[in-house]
Amino acid sequence: MTAINAQIPAATGPNPARRGTKGGGATLWAGLVLIGLVLLAAVVSLWWTPFDPEGVFSDSILLPPGAQHLLGTDSFGRDVFSSILRGAQISLLVGTVAVGIAALLGVPFGIVAGMNPGRLDQFMMRGNDISLAFPALLLAIIFGAIFGAGTVTAMVALGIGTAPAFALIARSGTMQIMSREYVQAARASGKSGLFIGVRHILPNISGMLIVQASVSFGIAVLAEAALSYLGLGTPPPTPSWGRMLQDAQGYLFIEPLLIVWPGIAIAIAVLGFNLLGDGLRDRFDPKMQVNR
Amino acid sequence: MTTNAPTLSVTDLRVGSPFDELLHGISFDIAVGERVGLIGESGSGKSLTATSVMGLLPETLAATGTIRLNGVDADLLTAGERRLNSLRGNTMAMVFQEPMTALNPLMRVGAQVAEIMMVHRTERGRRQARERAVELLAQVKLPNPAEAALAFPHQLSGGQRQRVMLAMAMANDPQLLLCDEPTTALDVTVQAEVLKLIGNLVTDRGTALLLITHDIAVVAEVCQRVLVMYQGNIVEDGPVGRVLTAPQHPYTQKLIAASDLSSVDERGRLHTMSMPVIAKPVTATPGTARPRTTASAPSHVQADAAAALLLPPYPAAHQRLEPDGPPVIFNEVAGVPAISVRDLSRQYRRRGGGLFAPAPIVHGLREVSFDVAEGQRFGIVGESGSGKSTLMRILCALDQPSGGTVDVLGQSIDGASERQLRDFRSQVQIVFQDPMGSLDPRMRVRDIVAEPLRNVGRAEALARVEAQLAAVGLDADVMHRHPHQFSGGQRQRISIARALITRPRVLVADEAVSALDVSVRAQVLNLLADLVDEYQLTLVFVSHDLGVIRHLCDTVAVISDGRIVECGPTASVYDRPLHPYTRQLVSATPSMDELARRVAN
Amino acid sequence: MVLVVLRRLGVFATTVVVASVVTFLMLSILPGNAARIALGVQASEADVAAQATAMGLDRPAIVRYLDWFGNVLIGDFGTSTVSRQAIGPEITDALGITVILVLTSVVLALLFAIPFGILTAVRQRKPDGAILSGISQIGVAVPGFLAGMLLVTIFAVTLRWLPAGGWVDPGEDFGGFIEHLILPAIALGSVQGAVLSRYVRSSVLEVMREDFIRTARAKGLGAGRALFRHGLRNAAVPVMTVLGLQIATLLVGAVVIERVFSIPGLGSLLLDKVALRDLPAVQGIVLVLVVFVLALNFLVDLAFTLIDPRLRSAT
């Protein structure tokens, strides 16, 4: 549908028939709403939580959900709702830093590999394959053993562990863009590799990188929860969803609800980022659009 | 089954999405054994017509009207899925455009051909179907059919895959064969063979044919009758000979005129389509674009330009490469040529090979030698894999030769560093084929066009971009838009503006009009011709299309299998080809006159 | 074909060696003086020096690496700095348990993911397809250890059908072995299955848009038959890639699940050793885990070659 319809002023934007099949909308919004909830919890808890989530309150241990304690209290007598709100901070912090480190390491690596097909690319990708054999969570456990567990260790380890995924995406995107004629044209005009990488490749692969960032964010939230559950994440008394689960496991027989609340919180955050990623993918990926 | 009823009868077919109607009530019949061509440009609705008949429209589109097949009482549009399944591949069969992707990559081709007989139980068992598949592959003239049956699609060439598709389509002797651009993705010589095969198969078996294409030559080669589609309507319906020589509808007249690259108007320009088809800015900016070439130039300049088409300024020698003969320096120019290539070779090391064996070497170019004189319009014609793209890339210093020398404008570019090439980069520019891929979708037109400029201030750059856009017939207000807002022809104008902004002396065009519809193609070719004159460019035009080269270039080199096999003045090569390969190529791309003559016989 | 396998095998061996170097660098070089770590901060310089000599730390790094890796190749993982016992037997016992758990989970994940993914793809535009797709989305968002705890709450705490944790050797009591395997395998497999089913879905959706599916439809195959005869094998190719990449995730998932169910596998062993800062033991366990991932990836690669004829020839 190009040439003949071109008489109709070309700036008609997306094809109306296509707009009808573009599935990204609802998914995207659902994702944004869920992420918005988590963000709201994190921001509000900076200044206010119903109760102090970091103390020990021996007069209110293991209370069921009620009017005063919306989601009940845990084995230290802390208000679960307050802990959940405050826990959002750690999840978002770890996710943001880990994804940032991963993108900063992985994207340039992938672009350089993709722009230099042949030996350099093969060498770099072998290296990448080996890093893939050290998954983020394993790396975080190893780092915990070496440097001692903590939020910073977890963020850095998850970031390094997630970088290979970014490198893979960036490389495959770069290889696609490198075959485009506008890159050839830029090379024929004597433009440097750096110029082509920054002006042509990075903007054109940014869509898939954003999708990857969103998906990786979800994975980082999961990994942080797992690490905290294992006692290798954020140390007490700072509330984190993973450690709430660890605490709750000891009281499975007494108060099974205690695992439900942090579980739901984790699921909401991860689901939000996954839905956002799916929605963005539908929007960016031309393959998802129906041809006629 | 009555013989006088038409094989296919389409009445008032409308296809549309909830948003707009794409086919506006078309009606036509195809008689038993009749071969009908359906021609139109992209977006005219021709493929939708075929998919409607097959009942394979995308879910988002709905069709109304009636489609009847001879001997089938039901209307295909309302028939149930079970009914359609029994008809598809049996009573009616279809061949698609993309030979690369239309076959299952994980299944042997023989099994894929056999499957269509198993599905409709036209052979007794698996073994019989396999045997019959081999016979069918022999009938479509695949070499070693028994072996070919065991091949996977990726082991076959595009032409061979299309033959497999044909074998599959004809397996159950359908009454109706639909072909959607069956040869568009193929090389011209392969295209001619496959077309001949389609013609023979349907004639021998009395199968009715609906052949969909954008290429009038394809229709003339195979069909008896032609339907012309334009914006979802059939605007003309008649015998091929009559439509070719005496088209009735204004659209058909323009289409045929624009397709004819051998006929020019009194100013030496191709006939373009002055219907609403023309890209908007051309009609919108008559004051800025055209005057540079038409109004401001005195008429005798135009006459000279026309004469230049007939009489190349440099009497190029017409030579061919003899089998086992010595290497030839083609088009040797006395003095300093603009481009001088000697013994140019390029080998590729293919990945893989054995664990210890060296990787196999593929020869891209072998000992190619030629000159291009200053101001010459030099065409390079060849099929895919001939080495023409490699040659083009080396001429633009995008690739390095494995051997030989390349001098452009007195500078040696083989082995030169990027720093040494700085001057060269502004002197030699390229226009690419793909109007979608040649412009960065994330950049604005002003940045795209200004990209080749070096050490030029922002204000001056913008002024030059504006002037350059005007020169290619685009308004200044397009500067701030993004590429997706333009049609193919407009994008190609932007590409040309980018290439010319550094005022290069050599312009290399890589299939610069191959992706465009004929109507747009004529406009872009005219523009290129004008600009080459105006800027006194040396033009190297690489293409698979002999017709385009014949129109635009004074000298042509024919390249095949990494070697130039023949080179000389275009008219001479066209009229008296010396090399057998050139002869094959010329006869596969007939001119409009030649077509009309063939149809008349 | 044989050549292709040999090449892959060569690449695999190189990768294992490089991975061992990385592991060694991370756990033997990066932390600094292992003798100091073993003895603690209060130990005197002389004690540390003696300990370093005893552990062979006074030798050059390259010699220590070769010594370590050479011994690993013959099954000797060295001695623990904490228990002073050989690490090898502990690792072998734990590895057997983890392998059983992981492989069972992979099978469960595939059994769930393939039909579920296909179903959600085929029913994409129908309401039930959307609901199923939503369920798998939520499945992806639930951490495996949470799924494990929920299963324990339901089947062990409330219904008391299955044990809440622990492990029984299959040689001793096969029924007990199965009872102890069910919940952790489901916890690990269901989450991985949800992830995989998303990939199966998108892969099938992609394949349904391929030209050769249209060809199959034009041959007279119904939509379902076209998908089953031509689509699924093609859809399997990208899913296999993902499966290869997922294996690493599955393994670290197992580490956490073992902790939930108190299973004495490699994961529990690793976490115990990390808690004790027993770096030589950690180094051995990490190497085994990484080689396990690489080996499974290698097998997936080979399976690829069998499915896709384009990979068999040429390269």
Side-chain angles (χ1 to χ4, degrees), chain A residues 1-4 6-7 10 16-17 21 122 181-182 184-191 195 199-200 203-204 206, chain B residues 19 60 231 276 351 393 398 418 425 430 432-434 437-443 451-452 454 485 487 498 517:
Chain A
M1 289 277 143
T2 45
I4 285 187
Q7 51 172 321
T21 58
Q122 286 204 354
E181 289 175 342
Y182 55 81
Q184 303 284 316
R187 287 186 57 207
S189 299
K191 296 298 177 191
F195 177 94
R199 279 307 302 271
H200 290 296
N204 280 294
S206 61
Chain B
F19 304 96
T60 46
Q231 293 192 339
R351 260 193 73 203
R393 290 171 55 80
L398 289 173
E418 197 57 46
R425 293 294 187 203
I430 324 177
F432 287 101
Q433 166 177 13
D434 178 8
S438 58
L439 307 177
D440 188 335
R442 292 290 167 126
M443 282 166 83
E451 189 181 78
R454 242 175 220 287
Q485 297 171 304
S487 69
R498 169 177 59 190
D517 275 326

Side-chain angles (χ1 to χ4, degrees), chain B residues 218-555:
Chain B
V218 167
V219 172
E221 209 73 53
V222 182
C223 300
Q224 302 157 314
R225 207 176 101 207
V226 60
L227 310 170
V228 182
M229 265 194 114
Y230 175 60
Q231 293 192 339
N233 290 304
I234 290 179
V235 296
E236 184 147 3
D237 177 352
V240 171
R242 203 268 293 146
V243 174
L244 263 185
T245 49
Q248 306 289 306
H249 191 274
Y251 172 76
T252 320
Q253 292 166 359
K254 301 286 179 186
L255 182 74
I256 286 175
S259 304
D260 192 355
L261 294 171
S262 59
S263 101
V264 288
D265 64 13
E266 61 282 358
R267 291 181 296 147
R269 302 168 59 81
L270 290 170
H271 300 282
T272 55
M273 308 182 82
S274 52
M275 303 235 328
V277 205
I278 286 178
K280 181 186 160 225
V282 180
T283 45
T285 59
T288 51
R290 288 293 149 198
R292 296 190 80 108
T293 49
T294 51
S296 66
S299 58
H300 69 268
V301 175
Q302 293 296 336
D304 282 354
L309 287 180
L310 307 172
L311 277 178
Y314 307 91
H318 186 177
Q319 293 164 289
R320 68 163 281 196
L321 185 75
E322 299 297 334
D324 307 319
V328 184
I329 300 172
F330 291 100
N331 190 35
E332 199 167 3
V333 175
V336 181
I339 298 172
S340 178
V341 172
R342 291 292 178 272
D343 301 322
L344 179 65
S345 301
R346 179 71 172 101
Q347 292 145 9
Y348 297 98
R349 209 170 277 275
R350 196 191 279 158
R351 260 193 73 203
L355 188 58
F356 303 105
I361 287 174
V362 182
H363 293 273
L365 289 172
R366 323 191 219 198
E367 298 186 335
V368 171
S369 301
F370 65 93
D371 286 343
V372 178
E374 185 96 45
Q376 200 165 22
R377 297 171 171 196
F378 192 82
I380 298 173
V381 66
E383 296 180 302
S384 55
S386 62
K388 62 180 197 299
S389 299
T390 307
L391 180 56
M392 180 224 79
R393 290 171 55 80
I394 290 176
L395 288 181
C396 301
L398 289 173
D399 192 3
Q400 285 294 328
S402 327
T405 60
V406 182
D407 289 12
V408 178
L409 302 170
Q411 185 187 359
S412 168
I413 61 166
D414 47 289
S417 71
E418 197 57 46
R419 181 180 295 272
Q420 290 166 321
L421 286 174
R422 192 160 286 179
D423 212 28
F424 169 89
R425 293 294 187 203
S426 61
Q427 296 287 336
V428 179
Q429 284 286 323
I430 324 177
V431 176
F432 287 101
Q433 166 177 13
D434 178 8
M436 300 304 222
S438 58
L439 307 177
D440 188 335
R442 292 290 167 126
M443 282 166 83
R444 292 179 192 280
V445 169
R446 56 162 194 262
D447 298 324
I448 291 171
V449 176
E451 189 181 78
L453 288 176
R454 242 175 220 287
N455 306 324
V456 176
R458 177 106 184 125
E460 195 202 333
L462 280 182
R464 281 175 72 172
V465 168
E466 192 174 343
Q468 202 59 56
L469 286 172
V472 299
L474 292 173
D475 269 347
D477 66 355
V478 308
M479 291 215 295
H480 309 290
R481 296 208 223 149
H482 284 97
H484 71 267
Q485 297 171 304
F486 297 90
S487 69
Q490 290 170 317
R491 288 197 196 116
Q492 216 55 334
R493 287 170 193 269
I494 296 170
S495 281
I496 295 171
R498 169 177 59 190
L500 294 182
I501 196 151
T502 58
R503 294 297 156 115
R505 288 163 67 195
V506 175
L507 183 67
V508 178
D510 180 20
E511 302 273 12
V513 295
S514 303
L516 303 176
D517 275 326
V518 280
S519 53
V520 185
R521 180 179 73 176
Q523 295 167 20
V524 174
L525 281 175
N526 281 341
L527 175 71
L528 262 180
D530 291 346
L531 292 170
V532 166
D533 283 345
E534 189 181 333
Y535 293 84
Q536 297 178 328
L537 293 167
T538 303
L539 177 70
V540 177
F541 195 96
V542 180
S543 180
H544 72 284
D545 188 340
L546 206 52
V548 171
I549 294 232
R550 186 190 189 189
H551 165 72
L552 198 62
C553 300
D554 52 56
T555 311

Side-chain angles (χ1 to χ4, degrees), chain A residues 13-286:
Chain A
N15 202 319
R18 221 185 242 170
R19 197 178 296 150
T21 58
K22 211 172 195 174
T27 322
L28 197 71
W29 281 109
L32 285 174
V33 166
L34 293 180
I35 294 169
L37 278 177
V38 180
L39 199 63
L40 187 71
V43 171
V44 165
S45 64
L46 282 176
W47 291 282
W48 175 84
T49 48
F51 293 88
D52 178 9
E54 295 186 7
V56 177
F57 307 94
S58 45
D59 55 343
S60 60
I61 286 172
L62 291 177
L63 293 179
Q68 197 175 15
H69 297 282
L70 202 57
L71 306 178
T73 59
D74 68 5
S75 57
F76 291 95
R78 293 172 299 207
D79 179 52
V80 171
F81 184 60
S82 303
S83 302
I84 295 260
L85 290 183
R86 188 66 68 82
Q89 288 179 14
I90 282 293
S91 285
L92 290 183
L93 176 71
V94 171
T96 310
V97 175
V99 168
I101 291 175
L104 281 178
L105 292 177
V107 173
F109 187 91
I111 290 181
V112 168
M115 284 181 73
N116 296 282
R119 284 184 193 283
L120 182 62
D121 172 55
Q122 286 204 354
F123 181 75
M124 291 175 80
M125 280 303 119
R126 269 293 162 263
N128 206 55
D129 284 352
I130 291 166
S131 347
L132 277 171
F134 292 88
L137 200 57
L138 180 61
L139 216 55
I141 293 172
I142 299 173
F143 276 34
I146 303 170
F147 305 110
T151 313
V152 176
T153 314
M155 290 190 297
V156 172
L158 292 180
I160 295 175
T162 313
F166 276 89
L168 277 186
I169 293 281
R171 171 177 175 265
S172 75
T174 302
M175 296 201 332
Q176 272 175 37
I177 305 297
M178 282 300 282
S179 66
R180 297 285 155 78
E181 289 175 342
Y182 55 81
V183 172
Q184 303 284 316
R187 287 186 57 207
S189 299
K191 296 298 177 191
S192 67
L194 185 66
F195 177 94
I196 291 173
V198 173
R199 279 307 302 271
H200 290 296
I201 290 175
L202 197 56
N204 280 294
I205 64 171
S206 61
M208 50 175 98
L209 291 179
I210 291 172
V211 171
Q212 179 62 36
S214 184
V215 173
S216 294
F217 206 112
I219 295 173
V221 169
L222 276 179
E224 191 278 329
L227 279 174
S228 296
Y229 167 78
L230 296 175
L232 292 168
T234 310
T238 313
S240 100
W241 296 339
R243 219 190 42 262
M244 292 174 73
L245 284 172
Q246 186 196 25
D247 292 343
Q249 196 181 10
Y251 301 90
L252 265 191
F253 291 83
I254 304 164
E255 191 45 273
L257 266 184
L258 278 180
I259 67 165
V260 171
W261 309 123
I264 289 177
I266 294 169
I268 285 178
V270 178
L271 188 61
F273 284 104
N274 284 350
L275 290 176
L276 179 70
D278 275 11
L280 290 172
R281 185 179 294 126
D282 288 354
R283 184 146 295 189
F284 289 134
D285 188 355

Side-chain angles (χ1 to χ4, degrees), chain A residues 27 267 270-279 281, chain C residues 116 120 130-142 194-195 197-198 201:
Chain A
T27 322
V270 178
L271 188 61
F273 284 104
N274 284 350
L275 290 176
L276 179 70
D278 275 11
R281 185 179 294 126
Chain C
F116 199 82
T120 47
I131 291 169
L132 289 176
S133 177
I135 291 174
S136 70
Q137 275 285 17
I138 292 170
V140 173
V142 173
V195 175
S197 81
R198 303 293 304 170
R201 172 176 180 267

